[in-house]
Amino acid sequence: CSLPVGKEKFHKSQHWGYCNDVAMLVGEGKPGIGGEPLPGQKLKSTYSVFPEGMGSDGPAWVAFDKQVLSFDAYFEEEVPDKNQELYRIRHCKIYFYLEDDTIQVIEPQVKNSGITQGTIVRRHRIPLPPPHEDQFYTIDHFNINIEVILYARKYKIIDCDQFTKNFLRKMGVRLNPPTGRPDDPYTKERQKILDSMKPLRPYERIDTLKQFLDRDRHVLRFFCVWNDPESMFHDPRELVLHYYLSDDTIDIKEIIPVNSGRDAVPLFLRRDKLPKYAPTGLYPPGTITSRTVLNVLGKLGRYILDNRKTGAVHQEFYRDSDLKIGAVINVWGRKIILCDCDEFTKEYYRTKYGIEDFTPVPVKAPPPPKSEKMFPPYTGFGSEEDSLCSCIGLLPKPPQKDFKKFMEKDRSGMESNILRFLAKLVTDSPIDKDRKFIISYFLSDDTISVFEHIQQNTGILGGKFLERGRIKKPGQELFKSEPSEYFNAQNLFVGARVCFHGHNFFLVDADEYTFNYMEKHANEFSVADIGVILKKLKDITELRSQEIRQVFAATDPEHTKVIEYEPFRDLIVSITDGVFSEHEIRTLGRYYSVREEYEMDLHFLLAVAQEQLKKNNFENFEQLSAVLIYNDREKCGVLPHETCRTICKSFKLPLAGDDLQALLTMFEDDRKQVEYKKLVDGLNWRKNQIPAFQTIKDPLKTEDDWRGQPPSFAVKGIKYLPLLDDLFGKEE
């Protein structure tokens, strides 16, 4: 077939090929069969001037990330519709992004140029001018002092930054010397016209920006007093003066007391420069102006501005150097005394002027002493707190309770926060002498309840003896203004005598929880503070150390270094002559006691635990076993001690913490892991019931079952040698 005329060049650069089994025209970059170039085809080099293998192996968008070449350039723009200029010189920046060979052209904005400036060419790959429009600009096409054509516009590159120079040198490019930047003819002509013009009036510029930037938000504060002579009572008026260091202005605000009868105004003096009072009085309007003029031709009325300000009237204003403690300033005819200032003002004057004396000026009489607020006496209606609330405000409110104390000291788990004491009546009646009472003190709200222990064949009906509530101390006047005193936790201890509504009680014992709580909070209870007790005992027995050692040694003839509690108590009572209370002696004996540990076997623990579970109707053994098996991820039949304890607590097993701890310890293996299957089988009283022991040496009782009987764990033996060593030191 024959080719049309003029298509030979197109035929040489283009040829037919197949892509996805579709015949199409492909470019000249594709070689012929076997990679051989076609007739008239010029293959492009795959690599740059550097051979393959040099440099980083990473892709260009990683190796050249955020690396840009910057060139300074300009171009000429014709102006065909103006006679004043034929062309313009517009300066711009050419950015070449190395990661993807894209180019961006930006013209910096010039103020009042009247030309839309900014981005001239957005960032993208720009093709070469014809006849190579199928290729794009690369780094090889850029150098200093050359011209590049971007979309038919010719740009002259005159210089580049230092990074660009270093990069081009590393690429093997020989840089041309930079050229100068030509000036725009029209801009140059306009500048000549502006330079030749003279202003018609001498502008005076006062720069206050530096002072504003240095001293902005820095304010001096003075406390002032103005003795108003026109006031009816001539009382001093309290003012606060603010001096703003940013512009030397002053404002004054008046402090208006409550119920003074004066109207509240925003400011006593609005913010402005405060002039000093002139000797001749105030200047008339128009005397002080920003500019002055001179009459040069008399009646003809020709005036010129006075650059020297020979006839100007200068007015002085108050500055920071004029303000100090004790100074009197004139505020538009009002004499104001500066009495004191704040700490920032003192530091400012101490640093700038070296002033150290900031003694305030006493101008006000000391305020009269506040009269003590007296409340009317209690009327007898309602409680004292409720009657007092009706005297505090017009709208009576119920008395507020200590909610924080209630939340901290309320019953929580095994912590009851109730102190219980065994008490007897102090009476000569033989019938009432044997009556036993349980006095409970509730720490959450400081209330007391009394319960009488039921005894058979006494003829006295036991049960609740005193309703729970706060109890006043005896011997107080009923109708008085001061609040009454109530019994608190510190007034109750073993050996104390208390009177509840005319009934005298003697506290003879307490439960184990009460002793432990008071010893744990020894800072609140001095009778349970072993440090205070030892110091008190040391002060009494310090001069009789040898005698007391012999007395204790005589009580222990077998030299076992241990004596029983009753002889120990008698010795302490005789040594202290009855100064120590029974609770202090108990605390001393408990601290130096010999505690015998009971050996409880597994069957005994399981029998007691099953009895507790049976009483509380606990039967969720299958669910408990399922949860334990679920937590055993390795299915080895054992779990950590804490994990089993947490799961048992989540099921709310009705067992005390110590009993549960002992049971888990019994079922531990050599690696301190609990065999939970055996534990659940042992607790299951439905399938594996253990018969209850007929003789239990130490029955486990809950706290609520205490009725004043002797405690299960009693102090029997006392190690007296550590006590003597703590009192008198170790004997040589």
Side-chain angles (χ1 to χ4, degrees), residues 328-599:
V328 180
I329 62 174
N330 192 326
V331 180
W332 301 106
R334 295 169 177 83
K335 304 294 183 179
I336 294 179
I337 305 173
L338 306 184
C339 302
D340 201 358
C341 60
D342 60 0
E343 290 298 328
F344 173 77
T345 306
K346 293 178 182 179
E347 185 63 27
Y348 175 80
Y349 280 95
R350 189 182 293 114
T351 304
K352 185 174 182 180
Y353 297 105
I355 299 176
E356 296 293 339
D357 185 15
F358 298 100
T359 305
V361 177
V363 292
K364 294 192 305 180
K370 291 185 178 180
S371 59
E372 185 178 357
K373 193 174 184 179
M374 297 295 295
F375 293 103
Y378 174 53
T379 59
F381 295 97
S383 63
E384 292 187 17
E385 294 80 7
D386 188 48
S387 299
L388 182 62
C389 290
S390 63
C391 301
I392 295 177
L394 294 177
L395 299 177
K397 297 181 181 179
Q400 297 292 330
K401 296 183 179 180
D402 193 349
F403 185 73
K404 180 180 178 182
K405 181 179 180 180
F406 176 78
M407 294 300 295
E408 291 177 353
K409 298 297 183 180
D410 192 23
R411 185 180 198 71
S412 176
M414 302 299 294
E415 288 289 331
S416 64
N417 289 313
I418 302 175
L419 306 183
R420 291 190 244 205
F421 300 90
L422 175 65
K424 292 185 177 181
L425 283 174
V426 180
T427 180
D428 296 332
S429 174
I431 299 177
D432 295 337
K433 281 184 177 180
D434 297 334
R435 297 172 66 181
K436 295 181 181 180
F437 299 88
I438 305 298
I439 298 177
S440 302
Y441 185 89
F442 298 86
L443 295 169
S444 60
D445 54 359
D446 300 326
T447 55
I448 298 175
S449 68
V450 181
F451 179 86
E452 184 175 1
H453 182 55
I454 301 175
Q455 301 182 27
Q456 295 181 358
N457 300 326
T458 59
I460 299 174
L461 184 64
K464 185 187 294 185
F465 183 82
L466 180 64
E467 184 72 26
R468 176 179 174 180
R470 299 179 67 188
I471 302 177
K472 296 181 182 180
K473 292 184 178 180
Q476 301 183 77
E477 185 182 352
L478 180 60
F479 304 105
K480 62 182 187 302
S481 301
E482 297 79 13
S484 300
E485 295 184 9
Y486 293 86
F487 281 101
N488 53 28
Q490 285 72 26
N491 301 130
L492 304 181
F493 53 88
V494 178
R497 294 176 181 267
V498 293
C499 181
F500 295 161
H501 301 301
H503 298 275
N504 295 316
F505 292 95
F506 178 69
L507 308 186
V508 297
D509 201 359
D511 63 354
E512 186 68 18
Y513 176 82
T514 302
F515 282 113
N516 292 333
Y517 181 88
M518 296 176 75
E519 291 171 2
K520 188 183 299 183
H521 301 81
N523 57 334
E524 302 177 12
F525 303 93
S526 60
V527 294
D529 191 347
I530 189 63
V532 175
I533 297 172
L534 286 176
K535 185 178 182 303
K536 184 178 177 181
L537 184 60
K538 186 176 182 181
D539 295 339
I540 298 174
T541 62
E542 190 172 7
L543 301 177
R544 299 184 296 163
S545 60
Q546 194 65 30
E547 177 188 352
I548 293 173
R549 286 183 183 272
Q550 293 176 1
V551 171
F552 274 98
T555 312
D556 182 22
E558 298 180 0
H559 303 288
T560 59
K561 301 180 181 180
V562 177
I563 60 177
E564 295 183 357
Y565 175 75
E566 289 300 330
F568 172 79
R569 178 188 175 280
D570 297 338
L571 284 176
I572 296 298
V573 171
S574 63
I575 291 172
T576 59
D577 295 331
V579 176
F580 272 28
S581 65
E582 186 67 26
H583 200 119
E584 291 175 316
I585 301 175
R586 291 275 187 97
T587 302
L588 201 63
R590 287 167 58 87
Y591 187 77
Y592 294 100
S593 64
V594 178
R595 299 180 182 269
E596 298 180 0
E597 297 182 359
Y598 292 99
E599 297 182 358

Side-chain angles (χ1 to χ4, degrees), residues 211 215 218-220 243-249 320 344 348:
Q211 180 183 0
R215 296 295 185 180
H218 293 180
V219 183
L220 306 181
Y243 183 88
Y244 298 88
L245 295 172
S246 59
D247 54 358
D248 300 324
T249 55
D320 56 349
F344 173 77
Y348 175 80

